[in-house]
Amino acid sequence: MTKQIFLDQLDAHSLRERLANEKLTLIIPVGSLEQHGPHLPLGTDAILSTKIAEGVARELGALVAPAFAYGYKSQQKSGGGNHLIGTSSLSAATVIAQTKDLVTSYLKQGFEHIIFLNGHYENYQFLYEGIDLAMESLSREQLGDRFGLLLSYWDYVGEETLAQVYPQGFPGWDIEHGGVLETALMLHLSPNSVDMSRAPVGPAAVLPKFDRLPVVAARTPRSGCLSAPDGASAEKGKLLYDDVVSAISSDLAFELHEAVAL
Amino acid sequence: MTKQIFLDQLDAHSLRERLANEKLTLIIPVGSLEQHGPHLPLGTDAILSTKIAEGVARELGALVAPAFAYGYKSQQKSGGGNHLIGTSSLSAATVIAQTKDLVTSYLKQGFEHIIFLNGHYENYQFLYEGIDLAMESLSREQLGDRFGLLLSYWDYVGEETLAQVYPQGFPGWDIEHGGVLETALMLHLSPNSVDMSRAPVGPAAVLPKFDRLPVVAARTPRSGCLSAPDGASAEKGKLLYDDVVSAISSDLAFELHEAVAL
Amino acid sequence: MTKQIFLDQLDAHSLRERLANEKLTLIIPVGSLEQHGPHLPLGTDAILSTKIAEGVARELGALVAPAFAYGYKSQQKSGGGNHLIGTSSLSAATVIAQTKDLVTSYLKQGFEHIIFLNGHYENYQFLYEGIDLAMESLSREQLGDRFGLLLSYWDYVGEETLAQVYPQGFPGWDIEHGGVLETALMLHLSPNSVDMSRAPVGPAAVLPKFDRLPVVAARTPRSGCLSAPDGASAEKGKLLYDDVVSAISSDLAFELHEAVAL
Amino acid sequence: MTKQIFLDQLDAHSLRERLANEKLTLIIPVGSLEQHGPHLPLGTDAILSTKIAEGVARELGALVAPAFAYGYKSQQKSGGGNHLIGTSSLSAATVIAQTKDLVTSYLKQGFEHIIFLNGHYENYQFLYEGIDLAMESLSREQLGDRFGLLLSYWDYVGEETLAQVYPQGFPGWDIEHGGVLETALMLHLSPNSVDMSRAPVGPAAVLPKFDRLPVVAARTPRSGCLSAPDGASAEKGKLLYDDVVSAISSDLAFELHEAVAL
Amino acid sequence: MTKQIFLDQLDAHSLRERLANEKLTLIIPVGSLEQHGPHLPLGTDAILSTKIAEGVARELGALVAPAFAYGYKSQQKSGGGNHLIGTSSLSAATVIAQTKDLVTSYLKQGFEHIIFLNGHYENYQFLYEGIDLAMESLSREQLGDRFGLLLSYWDYVGEETLAQVYPQGFPGWDIEHGGVLETALMLHLSPNSVDMSRAPVGPAAVLPKFDRLPVVAARTPRSGCLSAPDGASAEKGKLLYDDVVSAISSDLAFELHEAVAL
Amino acid sequence: MTKQIFLDQLDAHSLRERLANEKLTLIIPVGSLEQHGPHLPLGTDAILSTKIAEGVARELGALVAPAFAYGYKSQQKSGGGNHLIGTSSLSAATVIAQTKDLVTSYLKQGFEHIIFLNGHYENYQFLYEGIDLAMESLSREQLGDRFGLLLSYWDYVGEETLAQVYPQGFPGWDIEHGGVLETALMLHLSPNSVDMSRAPVGPAAVLPKFDRLPVVAARTPRSGCLSAPDGASAEKGKLLYDDVVSAISSDLAFELHEAVAL
């Protein structure tokens, strides 16, 4: 029988048994509720980060905590902008507080490593601050060798995979919102939530080097996607998923188990 | 074809169409990640509030937002206490901030009513404050007739149902943590997450009239449940579920549609 | 000569002497400045909690700190609503911060037990959070056996007393705002502040199971009282007062002195 | 019959009547719970500011709100220091939040002027910030001609009075903590709380021009008073009280009634 | 005579005259106080952003506000880490609050555009949040066409310049801390603060794809630089400076003056 | 060769060497960006506090940190008021947070004493709170003998100097904003930033004993100065500067080096 991977499906007594017998790693998927164009659901970021976390947890023998279903404000250059209907966001202070509270709460219960697996670009720095504040609030004795870790899954897509997914050349992560990567992953991992008949077409958004607030709404394509998901397929999604899960897993396996030696 | 009920499964363009054509009501289920004894999963409160929200949304033509998977600290007299392993909590400031951010965000997008359906007793006052702060931050013109609404689902269990569920007399809500009500509902709504073979037995907890901090751990039964789920069954769960969904739905239907007349 | 019971009337040198020689318990009465109908003064909650604290302190040899004269927002279902003129409230963050600051401050000075005696329903959860944050900010060594404790006085009214005070049956605490209990207690404890000739009459308020914000003002009776103080008398007030003081005192006496054994 | 001056003794219906018919001024006395040597009670600052507020309110036809019984941290150069047992303080954020909440709450109810009458030096800047934040949170239309006002009562002691109270020359306000001024006022206004047989003697404290944290405890005299109350008497207290009440009253009368012309 | 460019050197009356007659743009340089290896001063980021702001302001007729001399925590992957002596940082909440306060303050005075010119990677998201909160706090009428804008100067280094500065290929921005770019710019703009005889040598840091907290100190090179400034020269600094100033200026000139048309 | 005095001009490796070999004192000058009339620049307070800090640091072998260029809101009675164009302010929470962050950050790096040298009256209490919060966040072991210190430079002007600078009698510090003291110091320390041909004339402002919010703008002289700088000269500036630097230096030298004995 396989062990339960999702923390919210586990009962407290079983968890206590595991914590007493293992150095347990917990992965917290972080998403958003954000417009992702006409063909992808609002929950795309949480769906993807949860699925990837699940894959990694299986490799590492880790648990997966309930995802953060809401994230920091969508920024125009990475997510189209926070003014778009369908996007429901938290302020920085809230993301930071939530992160700090949970890192502290999980560490106190005895988890050894808390890993935030981010699926919404804009969250990163606020998750970082939350983890850092949690660490500062613990004494060295309380903390021991335990640590927090933060990553965004797209940083683990390999060169080779990129070449296969984007045969005409990788256009850069900055316009990857509702584009090939997310669409392909969703086609592989949550096909019923995707409607390719509604997928937008047309050129990628051209956005300035700066952020301007309030945003000039006209700079975001009407679809809300920063690039079209041309050529996205479930096969490419599988390729991306397997690559990312494997890369994160091996990176973390090293970090978690060789940590003492550093 | 049935309309999509879960907001995170909806795409932004479809949402915009609905918001443009209807006065949309949004239900936010609120749970916790909290120990619920050896037989129920940590996610019980979110699972139950989400399922109930789904039932109500179906009646009302409303949407269901992603649940709050984490809640305010477990208190000894209602949840066994926050010191118990398996319980992962947010502080008051975080729950308030999260609530305020989302009420504001959803109202700005055009939702007409935001309903918090609470499944974790301890959350109530902090959700209330978050809604109130959001309302204060909007001008009367911005707000118009729109409103927020907050309820705890157990307040809708009818007398008759109570009598059927607790044939030997209802012992009171205060010791209902991991007891008959939650167990029966879970047996009906999420049977695979329940392991009745591990259900605790023995008398209900006897707790003081006050809250003491730090808690005296010995006051919470070793199981973590404040009463045993004796006699809980899927049938009773269905009875409870149908009763609660129907009572909330008719209460809200009146409130949402006759609101103007008040 | 009787010892001084009110902390603000004590001088610092006498306090130091007591702290050096006794395990001192401090009771902080918590009230509000809230409309209580046409016959009771705005300060009713602070007046009552202070008087009850005084009675308890006399039994326990404890001190009474200056009351919190302002409380959390009045909620419609327990106090008529925060929109009513005469009601002056603090936000949740303020109540929490004030509570945390004072618990920390008093514990650092050497008090052994800090007891919040609440007289305004809405305060409870915010006082709880404040006490909890204070406890978290102290190390186990700093804290030792010392603790904080929180109670609402009406939880100590006995069955028998209830039967005498409400000969036609107790209608429930939820509509007890400006009603029989508070009016009777005020007639006993602060008769000059009550004007029974202005007492409202008529049926109790019928309020929904949910909280709606902004409130529907028409749901609160014009008097501001959720039920009429029919039959309230100084005699019933004395009965209530003596019952509550005695019940709290004996409950606390046990808790404070047997605490070590738990 | 005299009108009720203390807001907490007034009922909501009477308050509404007054607010509907007058431009009402509200005075909030601000104190502290702070050691004041062996001869004065911990509540000295709140007692004095309340009594002075009462005198001024009588002159102006104003109301007096419940005092702030707790204040900002005692600073060594003005109050001996926050490390002294008997001193129970709020942090800056708490004082600011409390002030902001109440100014907003009172203005929304319809008070025309909110006057903070300060009796604890250290509070001043935090009260100022709280009032300012409240003003910023209101639009110009909401505010109209209404305003907040902040003063410390000792700034109203006249030259002539000073000469009479300190026949050997006024030593400066900085060492007036538990000294002649406060002791004399207390002897006049609350004689039963003063025990002159315990009054400290000896030279005034000599304190540096800077603040050092943590404080060097030895710099505060053992009594906790920064100067001895030599020559303090109820007569001098009456002189001071009458002078201050009259000076504040006439200053405010002009400000409140000629405000429009400015 | 040239107009004064630095706001802190301008007097208030001259500023008012300019604000009354022009649509004034204000540039706020944002730096940090952070270790930059043995050869660059701690103030490098503020020095560079101020100099670049000065160049841009000259082109645009803008003013330069006092720089933020302190920034968000140094992160290992971009600045070596916050644990290093010489690095003095602000928390996220502080950077956000400071930014919000100043954007609000400057907009209220009548500035038309507030531009944050960032010189410390880690600041970006917190500045963004601060600007956004300021915008949210203003009504549409108060804001009109005015806006805030945020950029990091290195995003404006052109391809051609990169090729000249890094003849052996550009190694990526992530290891550019105390490396060729910053060193060259400092040699051009503040040569007396650089000591090339102390410049570190050796290979660039190899850092993981994730952030781990607490950091593994050994991952940061002993110098504190993430890459060596091999080949940095004042000439390259001038090239970089001229390129960046010109690119930002022309980008902003378009944005500021064509803004209405968008 | 003279040692580098300004921290932002020092490199991290040199700083580490000094911290390893000396008990280092750090002085943080605190200013504001505030209107100072038509003849003085907006940055006056930061310019003066930095120059004085530099002089003191030279005497003590201390370092000078980057100044706080922005301060708390200008108050009418000390700076003319925060409504005046040219004044850009931080709220109390921001000044407190910034101060706390930096005291903590500097102490963790190994500085022995952190001295805030204030040049803007309104900052004082908020700096105090920030230092105090930093101290509270450290354990006694972490803190050891180290401390923070806070002073305003004008408290160090001696009687004799006052008599020379104000031959017709010193009018009091309260109206010294843009007046003789600041103008004279600026003429000595930063003559190019002063334009005496624009200096205001006329009588000093007459301001009430209270603070009123919103301010009555007409109470501040049109110049923005609370008194005219009649007779201010570079010579008087030198006299003031030398006096203040010498007085602070000797006061601090005693405090820093005899601290252990206290």
Side-chain angles (χ1 to χ4, degrees), chain F residues 5-202:
Chain F
I5 274 186
F6 289 102
L7 185 58
D8 63 348
Q9 288 291 340
L10 204 67
D11 72 90
H13 292 233
S14 302
L15 174 63
R16 286 169 207 165
E17 210 180 303
R18 290 197 60 180
L19 283 166
N21 292 300
E22 297 169 57
K23 296 205 165 188
L24 258 183
T25 294
L26 181 71
I27 309 180
I28 307 181
V30 192
S32 70
L33 194 76
E34 186 189 24
Q35 70 80 23
H36 273 78
H39 65 304
L40 292 179
L42 301 174
T44 293
D45 290 348
I47 293 169
L48 293 183
S49 55
T50 302
K51 288 284 187 187
I52 294 169
E54 186 184 356
V56 173
R58 226 175 276 285
E59 296 290 321
L60 298 179
L63 288 173
V64 176
F68 284 15
Y70 298 97
Y72 181 66
K73 298 164 189 171
S74 178
Q75 291 171 288
Q76 189 171 37
K77 288 166 60 186
S78 43
N82 206 46
H83 58 295
L84 296 170
I85 292 179
T87 298
S88 307
S89 303
L90 302 176
S91 62
T94 309
V95 177
I96 292 169
Q98 191 172 292
T99 305
K100 184 196 167 189
D101 281 358
L102 289 174
V103 171
T104 311
S105 190
Y106 282 128
L107 285 176
K108 283 194 180 157
Q109 291 173 60
F111 285 95
E112 195 71 14
H113 313 110
I114 316 294
I115 297 173
F116 285 84
L117 195 153
N118 183 35
H120 175 63
Y121 172 81
E122 289 88 334
N123 290 329
Y124 199 90
Q125 290 291 79
F126 309 109
L127 297 170
Y128 182 94
E129 172 73 350
I131 301 170
D132 194 59
L133 293 181
M135 294 301 161
E136 272 181 31
S137 76
L138 299 169
S139 66
R140 282 191 177 254
E141 296 73 46
Q142 287 177 294
L143 194 54
D145 288 336
R146 297 182 299 157
F147 58 83
L149 198 145
L150 168 59
L151 62 90
S152 290
Y153 73 78
W154 49 82
D155 286 333
Y156 285 84
V157 178
E159 296 281 307
E160 214 170 310
T161 304
L162 268 189
Q164 286 183 264
V165 172
Y166 300 90
Q168 277 137 2
F170 177 54
W173 288 124
D174 38 341
I175 52 161
E176 181 46 61
H177 179 75
V180 174
L181 175 99
E182 290 188 328
T183 305
L185 280 167
M186 285 296 284
L187 284 169
H188 173 52
L189 297 167
S190 184
N192 292 335
S193 330
V194 189
D195 182 349
M196 285 305 280
S197 72
R198 296 163 62 92
V201 292

Side-chain angles (χ1 to χ4, degrees), chain E residues 39-215:
Chain E
H39 64 304
L40 292 179
L42 300 174
T44 293
D45 291 347
I47 293 169
L48 293 183
S49 55
T50 301
K51 287 285 187 187
I52 294 169
E54 185 184 357
V56 173
R58 226 176 277 285
E59 294 290 320
L60 298 179
L63 289 173
V64 175
F68 285 15
Y70 298 97
Y72 180 66
K73 297 165 189 171
S74 179
Q75 291 171 287
Q76 190 171 37
K77 289 166 61 186
S78 43
N82 207 47
H83 58 295
L84 296 169
I85 292 178
T87 298
S88 307
S89 303
L90 302 177
S91 62
T94 309
V95 177
I96 292 169
Q98 192 172 292
T99 305
K100 185 196 167 189
D101 281 358
L102 289 174
V103 171
T104 311
S105 190
Y106 282 129
L107 285 176
K108 282 194 181 156
Q109 290 172 61
F111 284 96
E112 194 70 14
H113 313 111
I114 315 294
I115 296 173
F116 284 84
L117 196 153
N118 182 34
H120 175 63
Y121 172 81
E122 290 87 335
N123 290 329
Y124 199 89
Q125 290 291 79
F126 309 109
L127 296 170
Y128 182 95
E129 172 73 351
I131 300 171
D132 195 59
L133 293 180
M135 295 299 162
E136 273 181 31
S137 76
L138 298 169
S139 66
R140 280 190 178 256
E141 296 73 47
Q142 287 178 296
L143 194 54
D145 288 335
R146 298 183 298 157
F147 59 83
L149 198 143
L150 168 60
L151 61 90
S152 290
Y153 73 76
W154 49 83
D155 287 333
Y156 285 85
V157 179
E159 296 281 308
E160 214 169 310
T161 304
L162 269 190
Q164 286 183 263
V165 171
Y166 299 90
Q168 277 138 3
F170 177 54
W173 288 124
D174 38 343
I175 52 159
E176 181 47 60
H177 180 75
V180 174
L181 175 98
E182 290 188 328
T183 306
L185 280 168
M186 286 295 285
L187 283 169
H188 173 53
L189 297 168
S190 185
N192 292 335
S193 330
V194 189
D195 182 348
M196 285 306 280
S197 72
R198 296 164 62 94
V201 292
V206 181
L207 291 163
K209 292 191 162 69
F210 50 75
D211 272 296
R212 173 175 162 175
L213 286 165
V215 298

